[in-house]
Short mmCIF file of all heavy atoms in Angstrom, two decimals:
data_model
loop_
_atom_site.label_atom_id
_atom_site.label_comp_id
_atom_site.label_asym_id
_atom_site.label_seq_id
_atom_site.Cartn_x
_atom_site.Cartn_y
_atom_site.Cartn_z
N VAL E 1 18.47 -73.38 -36.12
CA VAL E 1 17.41 -72.60 -36.82
C VAL E 1 17.91 -71.21 -37.07
O VAL E 1 17.69 -70.61 -38.16
CB VAL E 1 16.17 -72.61 -35.93
CG1 VAL E 1 15.16 -71.57 -36.50
CG2 VAL E 1 15.54 -73.95 -35.84
N VAL E 2 18.60 -70.64 -36.10
CA VAL E 2 19.15 -69.25 -36.21
C VAL E 2 20.15 -69.18 -37.35
O VAL E 2 20.12 -68.26 -38.22
CB VAL E 2 19.75 -68.80 -34.93
CG1 VAL E 2 20.55 -67.50 -35.12
CG2 VAL E 2 18.68 -68.51 -33.87
N ARG E 3 21.03 -70.20 -37.41
CA ARG E 3 22.04 -70.21 -38.47
C ARG E 3 21.42 -70.39 -39.88
O ARG E 3 21.85 -69.75 -40.85
CB ARG E 3 23.03 -71.39 -38.23
CG ARG E 3 23.89 -71.14 -37.01
CD ARG E 3 25.09 -72.11 -36.92
NE ARG E 3 25.87 -71.92 -35.71
CZ ARG E 3 26.74 -70.99 -35.50
NH1 ARG E 3 26.98 -70.14 -36.44
NH2 ARG E 3 27.41 -71.02 -34.37
N GLU E 4 20.33 -71.12 -39.94
CA GLU E 4 19.58 -71.34 -41.25
C GLU E 4 18.99 -69.99 -41.65
O GLU E 4 19.06 -69.62 -42.83
CB GLU E 4 18.57 -72.38 -41.07
CG GLU E 4 17.78 -72.73 -42.36
CD GLU E 4 16.81 -73.79 -42.21
OE1 GLU E 4 16.92 -74.57 -41.14
OE2 GLU E 4 15.95 -73.90 -43.09
N ILE E 5 18.36 -69.27 -40.69
CA ILE E 5 17.81 -67.97 -41.04
C ILE E 5 18.92 -66.94 -41.46
O ILE E 5 18.65 -66.21 -42.35
CB ILE E 5 17.05 -67.43 -39.78
CG1 ILE E 5 15.79 -68.25 -39.51
CG2 ILE E 5 16.60 -66.00 -39.96
CD1 ILE E 5 15.09 -67.96 -38.23
N GLN E 6 20.12 -67.02 -40.86
CA GLN E 6 21.18 -66.16 -41.21
C GLN E 6 21.60 -66.38 -42.68
O GLN E 6 21.84 -65.47 -43.40
CB GLN E 6 22.42 -66.42 -40.33
CG GLN E 6 22.32 -65.82 -38.92
CD GLN E 6 23.49 -66.19 -38.02
OE1 GLN E 6 23.81 -67.42 -37.93
NE2 GLN E 6 24.11 -65.22 -37.43
N GLN E 7 21.66 -67.68 -43.05
CA GLN E 7 22.05 -68.00 -44.41
C GLN E 7 21.05 -67.43 -45.46
O GLN E 7 21.40 -67.04 -46.56
CB GLN E 7 22.19 -69.54 -44.56
CG GLN E 7 23.37 -70.05 -43.77
CD GLN E 7 23.42 -71.56 -43.75
OE1 GLN E 7 22.58 -72.25 -44.38
NE2 GLN E 7 24.43 -72.15 -43.12
N LYS E 8 19.72 -67.45 -45.09
CA LYS E 8 18.74 -67.03 -45.98
C LYS E 8 18.45 -65.56 -45.92
O LYS E 8 18.20 -64.91 -46.97
CB LYS E 8 17.44 -67.80 -45.71
CG LYS E 8 17.51 -69.28 -45.91
CD LYS E 8 16.19 -69.97 -45.62
CE LYS E 8 16.21 -71.47 -45.82
NZ LYS E 8 14.94 -72.12 -45.50
N GLY E 9 18.53 -65.02 -44.73
CA GLY E 9 18.04 -63.61 -44.55
C GLY E 9 19.02 -62.56 -44.15
O GLY E 9 18.66 -61.52 -43.78
N GLY E 10 20.34 -62.93 -44.16
CA GLY E 10 21.31 -61.97 -43.74
C GLY E 10 21.58 -61.80 -42.28
O GLY E 10 21.34 -62.75 -41.49
N LYS E 11 21.94 -60.63 -41.86
CA LYS E 11 22.27 -60.35 -40.41
C LYS E 11 21.03 -60.57 -39.59
O LYS E 11 19.92 -60.13 -39.88
CB LYS E 11 22.76 -58.96 -40.22
CG LYS E 11 24.08 -58.64 -40.96
CD LYS E 11 25.28 -59.30 -40.38
CE LYS E 11 26.54 -58.88 -41.06
NZ LYS E 11 27.75 -59.59 -40.42
N THR E 12 21.21 -61.35 -38.50
CA THR E 12 20.10 -61.79 -37.65
C THR E 12 20.35 -61.48 -36.15
O THR E 12 21.47 -61.73 -35.66
CB THR E 12 19.86 -63.30 -37.79
OG1 THR E 12 19.55 -63.54 -39.18
CG2 THR E 12 18.67 -63.76 -36.93
N ALA E 13 19.37 -60.99 -35.49
CA ALA E 13 19.38 -60.78 -34.05
C ALA E 13 18.51 -61.84 -33.41
O ALA E 13 17.45 -62.16 -33.91
CB ALA E 13 18.94 -59.39 -33.64
N MET E 14 18.96 -62.36 -32.25
CA MET E 14 18.15 -63.33 -31.50
C MET E 14 17.85 -62.68 -30.17
O MET E 14 18.71 -62.17 -29.42
CB MET E 14 19.00 -64.59 -31.32
CG MET E 14 18.32 -65.61 -30.32
SD MET E 14 16.87 -66.32 -30.94
CE MET E 14 16.33 -67.26 -29.48
N ILE E 15 16.54 -62.82 -29.77
CA ILE E 15 16.14 -62.28 -28.41
C ILE E 15 15.63 -63.50 -27.62
O ILE E 15 14.70 -64.21 -28.04
CB ILE E 15 15.02 -61.24 -28.52
CG1 ILE E 15 15.38 -60.19 -29.57
CG2 ILE E 15 14.70 -60.61 -27.17
CD1 ILE E 15 14.24 -59.18 -29.83
N GLY E 16 16.23 -63.73 -26.47
CA GLY E 16 15.80 -64.82 -25.62
C GLY E 16 16.06 -64.60 -24.18
O GLY E 16 16.66 -63.53 -23.78
N ASP E 17 15.60 -65.50 -23.33
CA ASP E 17 15.76 -65.31 -21.86
C ASP E 17 16.21 -66.56 -21.12
O ASP E 17 16.59 -66.50 -19.94
CB ASP E 17 14.44 -64.81 -21.26
CG ASP E 17 13.39 -65.91 -21.26
OD1 ASP E 17 13.27 -66.62 -22.28
OD2 ASP E 17 12.74 -66.11 -20.18
N GLY E 18 16.16 -67.71 -21.75
CA GLY E 18 16.38 -68.95 -21.08
C GLY E 18 17.80 -69.56 -21.27
O GLY E 18 18.50 -69.21 -22.17
N ILE E 19 18.06 -70.62 -20.44
CA ILE E 19 19.28 -71.37 -20.64
C ILE E 19 19.33 -71.98 -22.00
O ILE E 19 20.41 -72.02 -22.67
CB ILE E 19 19.46 -72.37 -19.54
CG1 ILE E 19 19.55 -71.73 -18.17
CG2 ILE E 19 20.63 -73.33 -19.79
CD1 ILE E 19 19.53 -72.72 -17.00
N ASN E 20 18.23 -72.50 -22.44
CA ASN E 20 18.16 -73.13 -23.75
C ASN E 20 18.33 -72.23 -24.94
O ASN E 20 18.60 -72.61 -26.05
CB ASN E 20 16.79 -73.87 -23.90
CG ASN E 20 16.62 -75.02 -22.94
OD1 ASN E 20 17.61 -75.63 -22.59
ND2 ASN E 20 15.42 -75.33 -22.63
N ASP E 21 18.22 -70.91 -24.67
CA ASP E 21 18.39 -69.87 -25.76
C ASP E 21 19.84 -69.52 -25.91
O ASP E 21 20.19 -68.84 -26.95
CB ASP E 21 17.57 -68.64 -25.39
CG ASP E 21 16.12 -68.88 -25.33
OD1 ASP E 21 15.60 -69.72 -26.07
OD2 ASP E 21 15.39 -68.22 -24.49
N SER E 22 20.68 -69.90 -24.96
CA SER E 22 22.08 -69.45 -25.00
C SER E 22 22.86 -69.76 -26.28
O SER E 22 23.54 -68.87 -26.80
CB SER E 22 22.84 -69.99 -23.77
OG SER E 22 22.21 -69.55 -22.55
N PRO E 23 22.78 -71.01 -26.72
CA PRO E 23 23.50 -71.30 -28.04
C PRO E 23 23.02 -70.48 -29.17
O PRO E 23 23.81 -70.01 -29.99
CB PRO E 23 23.22 -72.76 -28.25
CG PRO E 23 22.90 -73.36 -26.92
CD PRO E 23 22.17 -72.23 -26.17
N ALA E 24 21.69 -70.19 -29.21
CA ALA E 24 21.13 -69.37 -30.33
C ALA E 24 21.58 -67.92 -30.17
O ALA E 24 21.91 -67.24 -31.19
CB ALA E 24 19.67 -69.54 -30.34
N LEU E 25 21.66 -67.42 -28.97
CA LEU E 25 22.14 -66.05 -28.68
C LEU E 25 23.57 -65.95 -29.17
O LEU E 25 23.93 -64.88 -29.68
CB LEU E 25 22.00 -65.75 -27.18
CG LEU E 25 20.60 -65.55 -26.63
CD1 LEU E 25 20.61 -65.42 -25.11
CD2 LEU E 25 19.92 -64.33 -27.22
N SER E 26 24.35 -66.92 -28.92
CA SER E 26 25.80 -66.89 -29.27
C SER E 26 25.91 -66.98 -30.82
O SER E 26 26.85 -66.34 -31.40
CB SER E 26 26.56 -68.04 -28.64
OG SER E 26 27.89 -68.08 -29.02
N ALA E 27 25.06 -67.73 -31.49
CA ALA E 27 25.18 -67.93 -32.90
C ALA E 27 24.76 -66.76 -33.69
O ALA E 27 25.22 -66.43 -34.80
CB ALA E 27 24.34 -69.21 -33.36
N ALA E 28 23.75 -65.93 -33.14
CA ALA E 28 23.24 -64.79 -33.88
C ALA E 28 24.30 -63.70 -34.07
O ALA E 28 25.30 -63.63 -33.31
CB ALA E 28 22.08 -64.24 -33.09
N ASP E 29 24.11 -62.87 -35.03
CA ASP E 29 25.01 -61.74 -35.24
C ASP E 29 25.00 -60.79 -34.06
O ASP E 29 25.98 -60.19 -33.71
CB ASP E 29 24.64 -61.02 -36.53
CG ASP E 29 24.84 -61.87 -37.73
OD1 ASP E 29 25.97 -62.13 -38.10
OD2 ASP E 29 23.80 -62.32 -38.30
N VAL E 30 23.77 -60.65 -33.47
CA VAL E 30 23.67 -59.87 -32.23
C VAL E 30 22.68 -60.64 -31.34
O VAL E 30 21.56 -60.93 -31.62
CB VAL E 30 23.03 -58.50 -32.52
CG1 VAL E 30 22.88 -57.71 -31.19
CG2 VAL E 30 23.88 -57.72 -33.49
N GLY E 31 23.23 -60.99 -30.16
CA GLY E 31 22.39 -61.72 -29.13
C GLY E 31 21.89 -60.72 -28.12
O GLY E 31 22.59 -59.95 -27.60
N ILE E 32 20.56 -60.75 -27.95
CA ILE E 32 19.89 -59.82 -27.02
C ILE E 32 19.14 -60.61 -25.92
O ILE E 32 18.29 -61.40 -26.21
CB ILE E 32 18.88 -58.90 -27.78
CG1 ILE E 32 19.61 -58.21 -28.90
CG2 ILE E 32 18.17 -57.95 -26.81
CD1 ILE E 32 18.70 -57.40 -29.82
N ALA E 33 19.52 -60.41 -24.70
CA ALA E 33 18.93 -61.15 -23.53
C ALA E 33 17.99 -60.32 -22.81
O ALA E 33 18.07 -59.06 -22.78
CB ALA E 33 20.02 -61.67 -22.65
N ILE E 34 17.01 -60.94 -22.15
CA ILE E 34 16.05 -60.25 -21.34
C ILE E 34 16.65 -60.14 -19.90
O ILE E 34 17.23 -61.07 -19.36
CB ILE E 34 14.72 -61.03 -21.22
CG1 ILE E 34 14.16 -61.23 -22.59
CG2 ILE E 34 13.75 -60.30 -20.30
CD1 ILE E 34 13.82 -59.96 -23.36
N SER E 35 16.52 -58.97 -19.24
CA SER E 35 17.16 -58.71 -18.01
C SER E 35 16.78 -59.69 -16.88
O SER E 35 17.57 -59.99 -16.02
CB SER E 35 16.86 -57.19 -17.49
OG SER E 35 15.53 -57.05 -17.39
#
C-alpha cells in the first residue's frame, strides 16, 4: 500500500508503532516510529 501511494503521490512518510508496520516503515521514503 505504501509503495502504491509512493508511485501516485511522490515522496511518502510512514508513521507506525507495531511489528507489522516494520516493512512499510522500511519501504517509505522516511520511516517514523513511535517511541
Side-chain angles (χ1 to χ4, degrees):
V1 171
V2 169
R3 292 193 185 280
E4 185 178 341
I5 293 172
Q6 283 175 310
Q7 292 174 0
K8 294 179 180 179
K11 297 290 185 181
T12 302
M14 168 70 189
I15 311 175
D17 71 314
I19 295 173
N20 292 333
D21 299 325
S22 300
L25 289 170
S26 179
D29 296 289
V30 179
I32 303 172
I34 303 299
S35 61

